[in-house]
Amino acid sequence: MFGIGMGEFILILIVGLIIFGPKNLPEVGKTLGKGLREFRKAQAALSATLEESVNETPKKSESQPVEKVSIEKKTEPARVTVDDVINAAKENPAVKEEKSN
């Protein structure tokens, strides 16, 4: 039970008895039990919701190409000039021009 031995469990009960007293100890245990029960219910509901959302998520079609993005680590900020932007736009245009016949 929670990775504790019998000796540790008895020590916890004795400390609880000293702190809360013999009249309040059953009430504290009852409240603790209710709290754990509610926590487990919430955990089960969250797990069910996550499983449901994973099962409903549409999988990507294999016919669609997957774009790979490389991330480069740089130690200092990149200095970009206007010429760099123009050259990048020429190499990878955002809108491809269609040739008319």
Side-chain angles (χ1 to χ4, degrees):
M1 183 170 97
F2 302 117
I4 59 173
M6 191 58 147
E8 292 138 345
F9 185 70
I10 292 173
L11 180 67
I12 291 171
L13 285 177
I14 291 171
V15 170
L17 185 63
I18 292 171
I19 292 175
F20 297 110
K23 292 183 181 179
N24 295 334
L25 193 59
E27 187 177 314
V28 169
K30 185 177 178 181
T31 305
L32 185 63
K34 284 182 181 180
L36 284 173
R37 189 178 320 120
E38 289 298 319
F39 177 75
R40 287 181 182 160
K41 283 182 184 179
Q43 184 181 13
L46 179 63
S47 295
T49 303
L50 289 175
E51 286 292 324
E52 183 179 307
S53 67
V54 166
N55 291 336
E56 288 180 359
T57 304
K59 295 180 180 178
K60 282 191 172 184
S61 174
E62 292 181 13
S63 63
Q64 296 177 346
V66 177
E67 294 183 28
K68 294 183 180 179
V69 178
S70 63
I71 300 174
E72 297 178 12
K73 293 183 180 179
K74 296 185 178 181
T75 55
E76 59 184 60
R79 300 186 193 271
V80 180
T81 63
V82 175
D83 292 331
D84 293 335
V85 174
I86 292 172
N87 290 334
K90 286 180 182 176
E91 291 173 5
N92 299 317
V95 179
K96 294 183 179 181
E97 296 178 20
E98 295 181 16
K99 294 182 181 179
S100 60
N101 291 331

